[in-house]
Amino acid sequence: MKLCRKDSGSIALEAALIMPLFLVFVLSLITLIKISIIDIALSSAVSETTKQIAAHMYPVDLLYQDYEHYSFLIPPPLLEVAKWELYQRNSIEDSLNHKYNQALNRVFKPLLNYFVDVNSGDIKKLNSSQLTIEKVTLPNLSNRSRAIFGIEAKYQLTLPIPFFRKIIYIRKRSLERVWVGA
Amino acid sequence: MQIGHYLLITFIIAAFITDIRKQIIPNKLTAIASLAGLLWNLINKGLEGLLFSLAGLISGFVALLLLFLFKAIGAGDVKLFAAVGAIAGTEFVIHSVIYSVIYAGLIGMVILLARKEFVKRMARIIVYIFHSIVLLDLKFLVLKKKECLTFPFMYAVVPGVLTVYIY
């Protein structure tokens, strides 16, 4: 084959002029696809998480009174949330806001990742290290009219544009009324 | 990572010199660099390193193979990027290709303006694009070397690789 024998190291001028145009076309296509994939994946992860939590809030409500007795009913990531609700929430809310955000991410990120993994099948579309939880609206279990759960998540995406380190953030928010029995 | 850096820099400089002198990147040079890259990654990180290196070699090769098939670049350039991939891995080589192509475009523009045949060559490029995209004439896609002005691709590869290093 010619490729094996030949060793010329030159580029045609015409090709040099056309290639960048082609490159721009391909890169912009990749960028658009990347953004839309992440947009879809993030919004489904966020809405799925809130839906699942809202639907399974009843045991948490029971748990609110009697934690030890019902703990076997709940999948592990949710158990962490419940424990957090019981033991840590008040003390963390009182401390610094920054610390609160850290704890928020530590507790709710595994939860969100849990639903990312469940929904995307074998392909991993979202990278956990680029994902941050912005805001969590916790349901008020003592006041039923304000029993709403919500998550706002942010995904950091570096665009593949040469010479520019352009970073964009994709934000998604989802709110859901929780079901806590009649 | 130290030895890998030296390996890459030496290789690029050697290829630069031969390419500018004779418009040739010797097969010996690319073969030695590829093997050295594979070996070094194998020694440094074991089997994982070898896989990383092989992936880089294949992606560097495939990325430029298409351009070679259209006679846009020489065979030496294809093997050069395969070797760069073997030394530095997939991500590095893909970025290098992208930046090199951009620099090649800039250099092409400068040559075009300097030779004062801008209109003539641009007209030919427009005809080329028209034939390949509108008329779907694939035979026309293969560039005829004799009609084309060529310059050493290494003029663009050196700044391209440097840019990837800096970013």
Side-chain angles (χ1 to χ4, degrees):
Chain A
M1 205 177 139
K2 255 194 235 160
L3 184 64
C4 303
R5 277 185 288 109
K6 284 196 172 176
D7 53 3
S8 78
S10 59
I11 180 167
L13 184 72
E14 277 77 359
L17 291 171
I18 296 168
M19 265 153 41
L21 298 178
F22 179 68
L23 198 73
V24 167
F25 176 68
V26 171
L27 284 182
S28 51
L29 218 61
I30 290 173
T31 311
L32 282 177
I33 291 170
K34 233 181 171 176
I35 290 173
S36 52
I37 283 177
I38 285 168
D39 193 277
I40 292 165
L42 188 64
S43 91
S44 97
V46 167
S47 73
E48 216 47 38
T49 310
T50 46
K51 242 187 262 171
Q52 289 291 326
I53 288 188
H56 294 91
M57 199 46 89
Y58 186 53
V60 179
D61 190 34
L62 296 174
L63 202 89
Y64 200 53
Q65 283 100 37
D66 189 0
Y67 159 65
E68 296 295 335
H69 196 233
Y70 290 103
S71 61
F72 71 94
L73 283 173
I74 299 160
L78 280 173
L79 202 62
E80 282 301 306
V81 180
K83 273 189 200 162
W84 182 69
E85 175 78 23
L86 258 188
Y87 299 123
Q88 287 173 16
R89 186 174 160 191
N90 282 334
S91 63
I92 290 173
E93 272 178 355
D94 291 340
S95 71
L96 287 166
N97 202 24
H98 169 70
K99 222 175 171 183
Y100 175 73
N101 271 330
Q102 268 187 351
L104 206 64
N105 271 294
R106 201 173 59 234
V107 175
F108 282 96
K109 236 173 102 171
L111 188 68
L112 197 61
N113 280 326
Y114 179 74
F115 289 107
V116 169
D117 294 344
V118 166
N119 286 315
S120 62
D122 292 324
I123 311 155
K124 203 146 172 71
K125 288 169 191 154
L126 299 177
N127 187 354
S128 167
S129 63
Q130 284 156 280
L131 191 66
T132 44
I133 308 283
E134 287 268 274
K135 207 175 129 195
V136 171
T137 315
L138 290 167
N140 192 336
L141 291 178
S142 50
N143 180 2
R144 292 289 153 97
S145 66
R146 286 173 58 205
I148 291 170
F149 179 79
I151 281 186
E152 191 179 335
K154 183 175 84 172
Y155 193 85
Q156 180 189 351
L157 176 68
T158 313
L159 297 182
I161 302 172
F163 298 110
F164 297 98
R165 290 221 148 194
K166 179 74 183 155
I167 293 171
I168 61 165
Y169 296 101
I170 297 170
R171 279 191 186 77
K172 288 287 162 191
R173 193 177 58 168
S174 178
L175 281 173
E176 198 89 28
R177 180 169 292 277
V178 301
W179 188 78
V180 281
Chain B
M1 198 60 200
Q2 281 305 315
I3 301 169
H5 282 292
Y6 291 132
L7 200 62
L8 187 66
I9 291 164
T10 336
F11 171 55
I12 294 286
I13 290 170
F16 182 68
I17 291 166
T18 59
D19 197 17
I20 281 167
R21 277 190 165 171
K22 298 176 219 155
Q23 292 219 356
I24 270 177
I25 300 166
N27 279 338
K28 269 185 199 164
L29 184 68
T30 46
I32 289 170
S34 306
L35 281 177
L38 286 170
L39 256 176
W40 183 75
N41 277 310
L42 179 64
I43 293 163
N44 198 35
K45 284 180 221 134
L47 199 65
E48 197 185 317
L50 185 68
L51 284 177
F52 166 83
S53 190
L54 269 177
L57 190 139
I58 291 166
S59 50
F61 187 79
V62 171
L64 291 186
L65 188 64
L66 207 68
L67 291 172
F68 170 75
L69 291 179
F70 291 134
K71 301 267 165 58
I73 55 169
D77 293 316
V78 181
K79 282 173 270 185
L80 171 100
F81 273 100
V84 169
I87 297 168
T90 309
E91 210 187 329
F92 188 91
V93 79
I94 295 288
H95 285 153
S96 301
V97 170
I98 290 171
Y99 283 112
S100 300
V101 163
I102 292 168
Y103 281 117
L106 291 177
I107 292 169
M109 276 308 221
V110 171
I111 292 175
L112 211 58
L113 292 175
R115 285 175 62 104
K116 291 175 188 156
E117 39 185 334
F118 187 80
V119 178
K120 189 184 136 203
R121 297 247 173 214
M122 274 322 244
R124 267 186 52 191
I125 288 172
I126 290 164
V127 170
Y128 179 84
I129 292 172
F130 179 75
H131 265 263
S132 50
I133 294 172
V134 182
L135 300 182
L136 294 173
D137 182 3
L138 289 180
K139 267 181 203 157
F140 200 84
L141 265 178
V142 178
L143 293 168
K144 289 148 202 95
K145 262 276 153 67
K146 278 167 203 157
E147 286 176 25
C148 288
L149 196 63
T150 62
F151 63 91
F153 195 27
M154 286 307 290
Y155 278 130
V157 174
V158 170
V161 170
L162 268 178
T163 313
V164 181
Y165 255 113
I166 292 163
Y167 276 89

